Amino acid sequence: MTSSNGLVCFTNCLLPQEDGSLIEKDLWIDDRRGVVLDSQRTFFLRKERPARVIDLGGNIVSPGLMDIQINGAYGFDFSVYDGDEEAYRQGLKTVAEKIVETGVTSLVPTIITQQQSLYPTILNLLRPLSGPNSANLLGWHAEGPFIQLAKRGAHLPEFLLPAPEGFQSFEKVYGTENLAVTEDWLMANDGDSDTVGVRIITAAPEVEGVRVAVKEAVKRGIVISIGHSICSTDIAAAAVVNGARLITHLFNAMPQLHHRDPSIIGLLGASPHLASNLSPKSPASPTSASFTIPRTPSSNALANRIKGALGEGPKATSEAFDELTTPPQTPVLAGVDSDLQLKKGEKAEMPFERPFYELIVDGIHSHPNSVRLAYSAFPEGCILITDAMKILDPHLRDGIHEWRDGKRFVKEGDKLYLEGTDTLAGSVVTLDKCVRNFSRFTGCSLGEAIKCATLNPARCLGIENKKGTLRPGADADLVVLDRKGYVQSTWVKGKEVWSRAL
């Protein structure tokens, strides 16, 4: 239903603010242009009143939820391509049309490590796409193949790769045209330069060539995320200094927090003292003020260690409890006598921004205490994701389900693991449930939890003026939630695309 003058007013509702608060205020949108309006300017300049007024009965009207790491849903796996482009596009369309029932209005399809020859084709098919009654597909997230064998999780080891030629290795795998500068990438194939487009690469900074590739990838508008890695604190911090701005599913597929070498997780609490000197001191260069990058075991060495530890060839184990990491080392700090802060509340400046970090808040991938600990350390960087697999479907029953390459999933509630192992293989939790869980696990307000699935991911991707916000001019992608966080209706570009049956 379209209003006669294009103006729609949501009233008797709560609006999430960018500080995480909820305030009682009307929201005006233009359902013809599909954008959020400044109600005061519209009323006084256009001298018009909304032709359609919707009383929400005290419910919440929020920016639509954004899922920036999702592997598939409703029977379709983004990583599976059998040569039929039309069938693949239809699969994308199916997911985009159905997922709105979970409040998601934007998603970044994620493909996991796979045969090198498939990447250029699949990534090209995953260009930004939007339909009249569906969620927005914002681009692609390539999780692998430049990841660490010891923290591969459900990724197939035979497809993992180093990047000996740095960014050129990235181009050979993903396809040069898929890694073009953002504007050129969006304009290719008759695209629109105003389109919101997203590209994310998850890689392990300690893998050969990855650190060299990060800077060039960032220059081209690609978000580099640290994940499936055993890197030390120094290597993780160096990656952030070079432009990495995200951590893939925090706590999972990485070394666990250790007080002498907090590794990737420790980036959430990066110390101004350590970071300002950018360095544990190198024995070869006592006055050096740059990062010393220690050597880490090669994939072959790690494979041998796995075989030795197990007494047989590698087998899937629970990545959360993998102890195949380099021994923690206490850093020798460079002796710089920096000034101290004298005024209460004044904080030392950081030479780099702490990265955003993803959390799968299904109560399985991370304990509620761990979720609260991460959020307490750095609330502004928290991003909720599902990491959902193709069997994501709120209506699907528990049991054994087919996956790919002859493997099968076992679904038990929100838990999903590879049959015959205890290896977690993504999730089947919906993003709206993650929001509810997050509020309960951390004790934060519903408005603050919503922010972690809307504004924070949009800020990470640099699209916060168009998505994840209620700013005037932003896309009118909305979700109406009741006061317990359950989805009542979903709107895309000002049009209602799903509503709960009464």
Side-chain angles (χ1 to χ4, degrees):
M1 178 181 176
T2 303
S3 60
S4 58
N5 64 355
L7 302 185
V8 179
C9 172
F10 295 94
T11 191
N12 189 17
C13 57
L14 297 174
L15 304 185
Q17 303 300 291
E18 295 191 0
D19 63 359
S21 62
L22 290 169
I23 65 169
E24 188 172 349
K25 185 179 179 182
D26 291 352
L27 178 70
W28 288 29
I29 66 171
D30 185 328
D31 67 7
R32 292 179 177 175
R33 293 189 293 139
V35 297
V36 176
L37 298 174
D38 181 325
S39 59
Q40 294 299 309
R41 287 179 57 85
T42 302
F43 179 78
F44 288 109
L45 293 181
R46 290 175 58 171
K47 301 186 183 305
E48 287 187 287
R49 297 183 64 84
R52 186 181 178 197
V53 177
I54 302 174
D55 188 331
L56 291 180
N59 284 333
I60 298 162
V61 57
S62 162
L65 307 183
M66 298 179 60
D67 195 349
I68 67 171
Q69 183 155 351
I70 175 171
N71 305 282
Y74 299 98
F76 183 71
D77 188 330
F78 298 130
S79 296
V80 175
Y81 174 69
D82 61 6
D84 187 337
E85 292 192 5
E86 186 53 39
Y88 191 88
R89 290 192 179 95
Q90 184 58 48
L92 294 175
K93 184 172 181 285
T94 297
V95 174
E97 288 178 347
K98 290 187 174 183
I99 203 166
V100 293
E101 69 174 323
T102 69
V104 171
T105 58
S106 295
L107 62 150
V108 183
T110 301
I111 62 170
I112 65 169
T113 300
Q114 59 187 275
Q115 187 176 337
Q116 179 176 339
S117 62
L118 293 177
Y119 280 100
T121 299
I122 295 179
L123 296 184
N124 186 61
L125 289 169
L126 288 174
R127 290 181 177 277
L129 179 68
S130 60
N133 300 303
S134 63
N136 302 283
L137 302 177
L138 299 180
W140 52 262
H141 180 169
E143 189 180 8
F146 305 104
I147 60 174
Q148 183 58 252
L149 175 67
K151 293 296 182 183
R152 68 191 183 279
H155 294 239
L156 294 176
E158 60 266 32
F159 293 152
L160 303 186
L161 294 171
E165 299 175 44
F167 189 76
Q168 289 183 341
S169 294
F170 278 30
E171 289 182 312
K172 288 179 180 178
V173 170
Y174 300 129
T176 302
E177 66 281 1
N178 293 318
L179 299 184
V181 173
T182 299
E183 184 178 355
D184 294 338
W185 171 61
L186 290 174
M187 292 295 287
N189 295 347
D190 300 319
D192 184 347
S193 60
D194 292 329
T195 299
V196 172
V198 170
R199 293 169 296 174
I200 306 170
I201 294 174
T202 289
E206 76 278 10
V207 167
E208 180 187 2
V210 168
R211 288 196 304 274
V212 177
V214 168
K215 278 189 175 181
E216 181 59 31
V218 170
K219 285 180 184 177
R220 299 189 182 203
I222 298 165
V223 174
I224 296 295
S225 188
I226 302 170
H228 288 277
S229 166
I230 61 167
C231 69
S232 65
T233 298
D234 297 339
I235 294 176
V240 175
V241 169
N242 284 340
R245 56 187 284 112
L246 180 61
I247 300 172
T248 297
H249 43 54
L250 187 76
F251 299 122
N252 292 275
M254 64 185 63
Q256 297 311 289
L257 186 67
H258 193 288
H259 57 287
R260 288 195 299 276
D261 186 356
S263 186
I264 301 165
I265 299 171
L267 290 172
L268 273 63
S271 167
H273 169 62
L274 181 61
S276 63
N277 303 318
L278 291 187
S279 103
K281 197 163 57 171
S282 166
S285 178
T287 59
S288 172
S290 61
F291 279 106
T292 300
I293 307 300
R295 293 177 60 85
T296 56
S298 67
S299 295
N300 288 336
L302 284 164
N304 292 334
R305 288 171 61 189
I306 294 172
K307 291 177 182 177
L310 299 175
E312 56 186 17
K315 70 178 182 181
T317 57
S318 175
E319 61 190 25
F321 297 100
D322 248 344
E323 293 299 338
L324 298 170
T325 63
T326 49
Q329 300 294 325
T330 301
V332 179
L333 304 180
V336 177
D337 190 15
S338 57
D339 291 338
L340 303 180
Q341 306 300 322
L342 300 179
K343 186 176 178 181
K344 181 180 178 181
E346 198 169 86
K347 304 293 184 184
E349 290 186 4
M350 288 283 289
F352 65 87
E353 292 184 9
R354 287 177 286 178
F356 291 89
Y357 58 95
E358 301 173 342
L359 285 174
I360 308 169
V361 191
D362 56 3
I364 298 161
H365 280 78
S366 299
H367 191 280
N369 290 2
S370 299
V371 172
R372 189 180 189 199
L373 185 66
Y375 184 64
S376 298
F378 185 32
E380 293 302 311
C382 183
I383 295 173
L384 306 186
I385 61 166
T386 64
D387 198 22
M389 304 305 288
K390 74 172 188 178
I391 64 172
L392 170 69
D393 182 340
H395 316 290
L396 188 69
R397 294 181 178 180
D398 287 356
I400 298 174
H401 302 272
E402 296 297 326
W403 183 31
R404 59 186 299 228
D405 303 315
K407 299 182 184 297
R408 299 198 295 180
F409 295 120
V410 178
K411 177 184 181 296
E412 294 178 357
D414 288 335
K415 184 176 182 180
L416 190 67
Y417 53 93
L418 293 180
E419 184 183 27
T421 77
D422 58 356
T423 297
L424 295 176
S427 78
V428 288
V429 70
T430 59
L431 195 54
D432 61 316
K433 186 172 184 179
C434 287
V435 170
R436 296 191 296 273
N437 286 345
F438 188 77
S439 182
R440 295 187 182 103
F441 292 179
T442 64
C444 75
S445 69
L446 182 54
E448 290 168 306
I450 289 170
K451 179 179 177 179
C452 296
T454 55
L455 182 64
N456 286 358
R459 286 177 51 233
C460 173
L461 302 176
I463 58 175
E464 67 271 25
N465 286 326
K466 297 288 287 183
K467 303 289 184 183
T469 181
L470 298 179
R471 297 175 187 177
D475 292 340
D477 297 342
L478 311 169
V479 57
V480 176
L481 304 167
D482 67 18
R483 289 176 176 243
K484 292 187 177 181
Y486 288 89
V487 179
Q488 304 303 303
S489 64
T490 307
W491 301 63
V492 176
K493 290 292 185 73
K495 304 291 192 302
E496 187 176 42
V497 296
W498 182 86
S499 64
R500 184 173 298 281
L502 297 178

